[in-house]
Amino acid sequence: MTMRSKGAKASLDEMLEDQNDSMTDKLAGKVELLRQISVNINKEIEGQNEDLDKMNDSAGDVLGSLEKTIGNLVGVSNMGGTRTVLVRAIGMFGFFLVVYFFSSRFTSEP
């Protein structure tokens, strides 16, 4: 090989090496961006899991209260018979109707 061809080959090698370094830096930047995105996704998932756990606990509390209420209603219906339950239900409906009437009458705007 001549001196000129060796210089041209060295120049080509240097140019290719610079291109490789540039592409390696770009790839490292993209990998870092992907890492940050995955960390943010992980944080979001953990937050949503905490929210779901809280909702599950609340739903369990509501279910327990509902079961207790239904049990109490069954107990009341067993104690007084069907007629007593019917009279109480009509009485409660009437009471709420009167409360609604008075609250709408006194809170209505002119």
Side-chain angles (χ1 to χ4, degrees):
M1 270 195 188
T2 65
M3 189 65 123
R4 188 171 189 183
S5 65
K6 284 184 181 180
K9 183 168 173 39
S11 176
L12 180 63
D13 287 345
E14 188 176 312
M15 184 180 73
L16 290 174
E17 187 68 31
D18 289 343
Q19 286 179 348
N20 282 343
D21 290 342
S22 175
M23 287 191 287
T24 302
D25 291 341
K26 287 179 185 178
L27 183 61
K30 290 178 182 180
V31 168
E32 178 62 25
L33 181 64
L34 283 173
R35 188 191 70 78
Q36 290 174 355
I37 290 171
S38 65
V39 167
N40 290 338
I41 289 172
N42 187 38
K43 288 179 183 177
E44 180 67 26
I45 288 172
E46 287 175 355
Q48 289 181 5
N49 282 339
E50 288 176 11
D51 292 343
L52 288 172
D53 289 341
K54 289 177 187 175
M55 283 192 273
N56 189 26
D57 293 343
S58 297
D61 294 343
V62 169
L63 182 62
S65 297
L66 184 61
E67 288 174 349
K68 185 177 177 183
T69 302
I70 290 174
N72 289 339
L73 287 174
V74 167
V76 167
S77 68
N78 289 337
M79 284 190 332
T82 306
R83 183 174 177 179
T84 305
V85 171
L86 183 60
V87 169
R88 286 181 182 168
I90 292 171
M92 287 174 48
F93 178 74
F95 172 75
F96 286 118
L97 191 62
V98 169
V99 168
Y100 173 76
F101 173 74
F102 282 118
S103 67
S104 65
R105 186 132 169 119
F106 293 117
T107 59
S108 65
E109 298 195 20

